[in-house]
Amino acid sequence: MQVFTRLLGERAWLSPQTRLLLRKLKRNRSFRVGAPLVAVFVLLGLLAPLIAPYNPVKGELSHALEPPSTRHWFGTDQLGRDIFSRIVYGARISLIVAVAGILIAIIAGVIYGSISGFIGGWVDEALMRIIDILLAFPDILLAILVASIVGPGLMNVIIAIGVYNFPQFARIMRGAVLAVKESDYVEAARAIGESRVSILLRYILPNSLYPVVVHGTLRSGASILTAAALSFLGLGVQPPTPEWGAMINEAMKYLDIAPQMWVFPSLFLIITVLGFNLMGDGLNDVLNPRIKE
Amino acid sequence: MAKRFLFLFITLLGASFIVFMIIHLLPGDPARILAGPEATQQEVEALRHRLGLDKPLVVQYAEFMARILRGDFGKSIVTGKPISALIEYRFVNTLKLSIVGILLSMIIGIPLGILAALHRNSRIDQLVMGFAVIGVSTPIFVIAIFLMLVFSVKLHLLPATSVTGEITLRHLILPGLALALYGAAPIARMTRASMVEVLGKEYIKVAFSFGLPRRIVIYKYALKNALIPVVTVTGLIFGYMLAGAVITETVFSYPGLGRLLIDAIFSRDYPLIQIGILFIAATFALVNTAVDILYMVIDPRLRSPRGETA
Amino acid sequence: MPLLEVVNLSVNYYTDEGVVYAVDKVSLSIGRGEVVALVGESGSGKSTLAHAVMRLLPEYAEIASGRIMFDGVDLLSLTDEEMNKIRGRDISMIFQEPNIALNPVFTIGEFMKDVYLAHHPGAKPEEALKKAAELLRAVRIPSPEKTLKRYPHELSGGMKQRVLIATALLNEPSLLIADEPTSALDVSVQAQILTLLRRLQRERRMSILFITHNMAVAAQIADRIAVMYAGKVLEIAPTEDIFYKPLHPYTRMLIKAIPRLGDKRELTPLPGTIPDLRRRPQGCIFYDRCPSAKPVCKRSEPPATRLGNALVYCWLYSGKKSHRRE
């Protein structure tokens, strides 16, 4: 952590404001706890093939349902698969899902929101009504809806996550566009003939950066939960792919005889999402400062 | 106020449209999907004609809406039985569960939030908020499983009696508690944040300056203001309850709409899926509208057109 | 005996950037039925002083030393409950921003009733509402009964301030502390509120501690004026003396800076800025900006000197010739 933050902090090209923000982040308690958790999660996911001692998908039936031991740190499941390896690969799956899903939501939301904000008028009204209708569905329901249409599978989970997060990012982006659209420097830029795209990139995107970053972090945690929920219901990632929610689903039949099957995925889910939530809270505190308590 | 109802109407319309479109968005021929893979081509065509699937989309939608409003929810592909009878019973169960869930979460969450706000930055605050943030990060099914293990091992309350199919208070406790713990966390956080913000307002200092007793200032003057955002969030949390119910019902084998919906998705019972989602979405939209109206009643600033929140 | 006597009061704020000495060994007294204005720039500590008297300071502030004698009792020695009885009954306060001072979800009547009942336990609500209406009439609010049923957002800023004044007078306090009550209002409304306060003060023989940054406003209402700067009182004198015989160099600057009708000169802003309140210099706090500064001013704090009816803290007047009394 020290090395990482030192690297960031001493870059000459970082503006003094950015450096001040980074210093504040370092002091923020939520961020200090959350960010390392997220970092561990990301590392687990990225380095899964290197860390996992066993094959996560193929197990030895003779060693089924074993409790944690020195051979199998987290024990084995009903097919003799090493749970630790499955957890590690599960991190990778969750990482992919969250990152891909949120990125889709952000990109779609940015485009949608920018267009809506820029054009304004009744087009803006209409587009925002659509967003409001989408937001009228509870989160998971929207994901279930999408899942019911496109079917199960990893790719579809990503799509579902993208779809159900997209309305909020669209709103944020539109808000940013509206906030800046009428300001003087944008008018000046337009007066000298600067292209709309350029205005978008130079003035509007930076204005929306903070809320998008904060929201993106918080939604990453929520998305991991939703993906796990979908997989738990059987609508998401299908076995034998190791996803934490799916693992808990498989554990349902063995709750009392093999608690290791549900305890470890649950712990990892909680800790990972906790990490994202704390990190998001910290970012929120620093980037959207409120009056001091 | 009228605007709110208009919006509700549009939302319901939009939701029903989306739900209607499910069948048509699926890859493949809607009639074939409804008929099932074993049906012969003749049967598929017959079904197509019978269900009016050969008519233009707009007409189909109109007929769909007409049917729905009449109360005719169609027949399940899987069982062939009419959906209405099945849905009613299940829907009421889910409603019971969600209501228990949200009431309990408010009973648990709001006092905790107030407590944390009053002892800001103390051990109590950190403890309560610590639990709250963990609660927000925990999947509902983990809470449900945990509760089930703890209370089933003690053989206290049976998870579900799918035996009789009858739902009494005992059957609501465990799933209700799971939902309550799940919802209490965001409510506690919201309450604390709101309370802290209100306590910093000038009118609270003014209230103290006139010698009003502390009890009145906090529990009358501050609380009423602080609860306003909490009330609005309640609508959102109710959505969590509905969604959480879907999962909780699965864990506890509770005979509710959520579990019905999931089963329907697995068996590709599309008419049932449509109606199920429509019910949930409509309920959510109605509750949110009710909450918005409640919000207008509570906050006098919203009643007159001149009132503008600072 | 003066009604209020502040003796050597010091108030500190504890912030992330260190301790701020907001009020430094300030002494001030207000007689019965007397109006004293506390005048100073923003950051001079005048508002802090007022909040200290009411013991309404925020959590990160502390009364470091001194006594606040009200009617012979040291307010700082009272328990919270005892102090609460005094607030709103013996001493009332009105603040600068009427628009955010009233609880938006309660009617005016509900609020005033609560304030009355808090200090008249056992009284009936009807009695409270009757007194409230009476006072609304006294502050010249039209249709008092209707107004009691209104919510704050339905009233204008000036009306809200009148309501707050009425509430402050509900329990017949002997001292009213007014913290810049007109600064947030339109000029025309300002004049109305000032006239109102003057009339009410006369009728009830009430003492007022009137805080403002505006000398001209102070002149319209005060019997005596206390000039505050960076946490210290520099001069206290009857209003006439302040204007026609200002003693302290800072007071002179303030008087000169008041624009007068027909004045063709440029506005003369005060040179320099207030010092960093985190440091307490050894000498006079005004040293850096004082045009008449002498070496002794940098070395030690000037003592209080009485000249006629005025009290001034300045080395210019503390030579062997003038009276020396603390």
Side-chain angles (χ1 to χ4, degrees), chain A residues 29 132 136-138 140-141 144-145 149 225 229 232-235 248 252 262 266 270 273-274 277 281 290 293, chain B residues 7 11 15 22 26 120 126 133 137-139 141-142 145 149 189 197 239 247 250-251 265-266 277 280-281 284:
Chain A
R29 206 193 288 150
D132 285 336
F137 285 79
I140 306 197
L141 196 67
I144 293 181
L145 185 66
I149 296 181
L225 281 182
F232 174 75
L233 291 173
L235 293 173
I248 300 179
M252 289 295 282
W262 74 272
S266 301
I270 297 177
V273 177
L274 187 65
N277 280 335
D281 277 351
R290 305 276 299 272
E293 289 195 12
Chain B
F7 182 67
T11 306
I22 291 181
L26 292 165
R120 222 172 54 219
Q126 289 172 3
V133 80
S137 314
T138 309
F141 48 91
V142 167
I145 293 177
L149 280 179
R189 289 180 102 200
E197 180 171 350
I247 298 176
T250 310
V251 172
I265 293 181
F266 274 115
I277 293 187
I280 296 184
F284 187 57

Side-chain angles (χ1 to χ4, degrees), chain C residues 77-92:
Chain C
S77 68
L78 298 179
T79 65
D80 282 338
E81 273 187 46
E82 291 166 343
M83 186 69 207
N84 227 26
K85 290 218 194 77
I86 296 202
R87 284 191 212 113
R89 191 189 62 182
D90 303 296
I91 313 180
S92 281

